[in-house]
Amino acid sequence: MPSIEENRKLWNEEFSWKQQGDEWSRYWGTTDLQWYATLLPRIHTFVPTPSILEIAPGFGRWTQYLKNLTQHLSIVDLSEKCIQACQQRFSKDSHISYYVNNGRSLEMIPDGSIDFVFSFDSLVHAEDEVIESYLKELACKFTDEGIGFIHHSNLGSYSTYYHYVKKIPALGKRILAKAGWQDVQDHWRAQSMTAEKFQQFAQNAGLCCIRQECVNWGSKRMIDCFSIFTRRGSKWVTPNQIFRNRHFMKEAATVTQLAQIYSSQTFGSL
């Protein structure tokens, strides 16, 4: 189980950040293509908007786009190294506020100030207690029409399967992976978190989960989930719709092919 301390140690001390996190966009060819082809279509209804909060930005892989969609952007990360890197990377942008937190608190964000909260490819490593804490906090931080998009783990839906996978020796996993068995790795996803838990946590916090897309990620099983949620009584409230997208990685593969002819790198210095 990735604890808060394990996350802090990995992202603050051990991980090199040589590519500023862009290496995780390799399934899409480039970070640009992942943003414009996969992420923006899923959140475009909610942005631009006056205030955005990004949780766990890392070295600013998505911050570079979010900052252009708001009048004020707040970014919060448990890693001082990540926040310092973002401060340096976006030093010319005066409308960004930077905060280091304890991995679960948003006490530095004023109540009733956030129109849109975003987190992608980070909180998949956060266990259920962390997600629950953030949702409780966001219930106070949202404006009346505040809404959020959070990418989190759904690995707990396959707890029995991954319980036995963990018992396979490392050598056996490597052999199986070379043989094409995709679900031999859990991608360091939080074992305790599921889409159903997110919905319940939101409800307990006075929020409404209105969309959930469960997706496969480097696997056949849908170990990840994108959840969209809002305040009760907001204009966004609708019955929750759950979409089980077993073809998410095929979407990424198609974008990778497009990147070979449409990414900025293919046009040289023009």
Side-chain angles (χ1 to χ4, degrees):
M1 297 176 65
S3 68
I4 291 176
E5 286 306 315
E6 286 172 328
N7 271 288
R8 181 181 289 110
K9 184 177 181 181
L10 177 60
W11 310 120
N12 202 51
E13 301 174 18
E14 299 175 349
F15 193 72
S16 67
W17 293 103
K18 289 181 180 179
Q19 298 181 49
Q20 297 184 313
D22 288 340
E23 60 268 43
W24 295 311
S25 292
R26 64 185 180 277
Y27 289 129
W28 287 261
T30 70
T31 297
D32 272 351
L33 265 295
Q34 186 177 8
W35 172 260
Y36 288 110
T38 295
L39 286 177
L40 189 57
R42 286 172 165 85
I43 67 170
H44 74 280
T45 300
F46 317 118
V47 292
T49 195
S51 63
I52 294 178
L53 167 64
E54 183 182 11
I55 300 175
F59 269 42
R61 182 163 52 136
W62 311 122
T63 312
Q64 63 181 313
Y65 308 105
L66 292 169
K67 70 182 181 67
N68 299 324
L69 296 173
T70 188
Q71 298 168 22
H72 187 264
L73 173 63
S74 299
I75 63 174
V76 177
D77 203 294
L78 56 69
S79 166
E80 292 183 9
K81 182 178 181 179
C82 289
I83 290 298
Q84 290 170 358
C86 286
Q87 287 176 316
Q88 182 176 358
R89 182 174 183 178
F90 307 114
S91 60
K92 295 181 180 179
D93 296 288
S94 60
H95 68 304
I96 304 178
S97 298
Y98 307 85
Y99 304 99
V100 178
N101 77 343
N102 61 4
R104 66 170 67 207
S105 173
L106 298 173
E107 62 182 0
M108 70 292 294
I109 305 297
D111 288 354
S113 66
I114 300 300
D115 295 301
F116 179 62
V117 63
F118 175 92
S119 185
F120 188 83
D121 213 5
S122 297
L123 292 182
V124 287
H125 310 302
E127 297 293 346
D128 57 0
E129 60 182 14
V130 172
I131 301 298
E132 183 177 24
S133 179
Y134 275 135
L135 289 175
K136 288 179 179 179
E137 296 270 309
L138 287 167
C140 299
K141 307 308 174 183
F142 273 153
T143 59
D144 289 343
E145 308 298 342
I147 194 163
F149 176 94
I150 286 183
H151 175 198
H152 58 89
S153 173
N154 188 45
L155 192 78
S157 295
Y158 307 97
S159 57
T160 300
Y161 173 83
Y162 282 101
H163 170 76
Y164 288 108
V165 166
K166 278 187 170 292
K167 296 180 179 295
I168 301 174
L171 177 59
K173 289 182 180 179
R174 288 196 294 269
I175 293 172
L176 289 170
K178 288 182 178 179
W181 188 25
Q182 292 181 323
D183 291 3
V184 71
Q185 300 293 338
D186 64 11
H187 299 272
W188 213 49
R189 270 32 183 177
Q191 299 175 31
S192 62
M193 194 59 204
T194 67
E196 290 76 15
K197 279 190 176 182
F198 191 101
Q199 183 177 3
Q200 187 61 56
F201 291 157
Q203 182 177 335
N204 293 346
L207 301 167
C208 295
C209 199
I210 60 173
R211 297 288 189 280
Q212 289 185 293
E213 181 183 2
C214 297
V215 302
N216 59 326
W217 190 286
S219 63
K220 292 181 179 179
R221 288 168 173 80
M222 293 173 287
I223 62 174
D224 286 15
C225 182
F226 310 145
S227 289
I228 298 176
F229 57 102
T230 186
R231 292 186 68 168
R232 289 179 187 167
S234 84
K235 67 180 181 181
W236 303 110
V237 173
T238 63
N240 192 24
Q241 295 184 35
I242 302 174
F243 174 40
R244 300 189 178 279
N245 186 355
R246 301 179 183 277
H247 305 293
F248 183 69
M249 296 312 296
K250 289 183 179 179
E251 175 186 318
T254 299
V255 175
T256 299
Q257 292 179 322
L258 293 175
Q260 295 174 11
I261 56 172
Y262 291 119
S263 68
S264 57
Q265 293 90 326
T266 66
F267 293 97
S269 59
L270 295 179

